[in-house]
Amino acid sequence: MTDALPGLEPAESAPAGPPSRVAGYEIEDELRAAGAVHVAGVDEVGRGAWAGPVVVCAAVTAFGPPPELPGRGNRTIRLTDSKLLGPAQRESFAEVLPGWLTCHAYGSSSPEEIDEAGMTEALRRAACRALEALPLRPDVVLLDGAHDFLGRPWRVRCEVKADQRSVSVAAASVLAKVHRDRLMAEIGEEHPAYGFAANAGYPSPVHQQALAELGPTPHHRLSWSYLDDLPQWRHLRKHRDPLAGSGQMTLL
């Protein structure tokens, strides 16, 4: 396979009408027809949180029928973007997906890395760690969204709403969400006032009140602008100095 592999380019236009809420193999089938054998769906969680790492999951399927969950009555719950599933549904899918997938792996970047390098680079590092932890090297990486934050040496296909259209990305979405939620619940045991088990580090009212009263924990991202609104803790804000090179931090 060469870098000119057909099928890496997304469709010229988005599918007509609203995206399906049930993930399928439409995109993966295009890539397989172009010669790809292993397609890794990649998705992240935690990009907009104020605390905790950004977590990425890479998932490779065997192209079999995806798992389903029984719903109320005769309803069947099918695999889709984690945001369209309830917490109990995500947990149930997370129990069966590891045994159904060919393989999957996680990668993360810490709050310190996010502060040091910025979110785009931190996200790239987390995704590379997940991909490098797979027991096989994927022929193509399928990313949710329009921006290729990975670049070489990975061969990337970007697709908007891939977490609703691709089984591989939907599986990665669910596993990344459940994995990070469990991690934030563990962190919350050390810092109960912040409500991390419920808000996963996002700015809920409980989280914001704890920040105002107690200040940031070691798990908070200190380069983020929320600190500008907390006069008592504003001095902790970190700023990347664009003239000092990547990784140089200043406290202003």
Side-chain angles (χ1 to χ4, degrees), residues 101-121:
L101 291 166
T102 298
C103 56
H104 74 287
Y106 301 102
S108 65
S109 287
S110 67
E112 292 82 5
E113 282 186 279
I114 295 169
D115 289 337
E116 171 198 341
M119 179 53 74
T120 299
E121 172 60 17

Side-chain angles (χ1 to χ4, degrees), residues 111-208:
E112 292 82 5
E113 282 186 279
I114 295 169
D115 289 337
E116 171 198 341
M119 179 53 74
T120 299
E121 172 60 17
L123 186 57
R124 187 194 69 80
R125 293 179 186 179
C128 287
R129 287 163 184 159
L131 290 164
E132 289 166 355
L134 292 171
L136 54 83
R137 185 174 180 87
D139 301 302
V140 179
V141 177
L142 179 53
L143 294 182
D144 179 34
H147 174 59
D148 176 8
F149 57 81
L150 267 175
R152 291 180 179 275
W154 307 102
R155 304 170 71 190
V156 175
R157 167 83 171 257
C158 296
E159 283 287 348
V160 174
K161 297 292 184 182
D163 49 8
Q164 297 180 38
R165 300 167 54 207
S166 158
V167 169
S168 305
V169 179
S173 170
V174 169
L175 289 171
K177 171 66 173 168
V178 172
H179 180 81
R180 186 177 185 277
D181 281 356
R182 291 173 178 172
L183 175 62
M184 293 305 297
E186 292 177 7
I187 293 174
E189 294 176 1
E190 306 170 14
H191 307 279
Y194 296 81
F196 289 155
N199 61 48
Y202 286 83
S204 70
V206 169
H207 185 179
Q208 293 184 61

Side-chain angles (χ1 to χ4, degrees), residues 72-94:
R72 293 181 180 177
N74 295 323
R75 181 174 174 237
T76 298
I77 300 169
R78 295 180 172 86
L79 185 62
T80 186
D81 173 16
S82 65
K83 295 185 290 295
L84 299 178
L85 299 169
Q89 295 168 350
R90 289 194 294 265
E91 288 281 350
S92 294
F93 272 121

Side-chain angles (χ1 to χ4, degrees), residues 22-111:
V22 178
Y25 284 117
E26 168 196 359
I27 305 170
E28 287 94 333
D29 285 344
E30 289 182 17
L31 294 168
R32 292 175 74 197
V37 176
H38 300 297
V39 177
V42 166
D43 205 11
E44 54 78 22
V45 65
R47 188 186 306 206
W50 288 3
V54 62
V55 171
V56 171
C57 180
V60 180
T61 80
F63 296 98
E68 299 177 345
L69 302 177
R72 293 181 180 177
N74 295 323
R75 181 174 174 237
T76 298
I77 300 169
R78 295 180 172 86
L79 185 62
T80 186
D81 173 16
S82 65
K83 295 185 290 295
L84 299 178
L85 299 169
Q89 295 168 350
R90 289 194 294 265
E91 288 281 350
S92 294
F93 272 121
E95 291 300 317
V96 299
L97 281 170
W100 175 78
L101 291 166
T102 298
C103 56
H104 74 287
Y106 301 102
S108 65
S109 287
S110 67

Side-chain angles (χ1 to χ4, degrees), residues 234-245:
R234 190 180 297 156
H235 65 285
L236 298 175
R237 173 94 189 267
K238 290 183 177 181
H239 299 260
R240 282 185 303 280
D241 184 351
L243 300 180

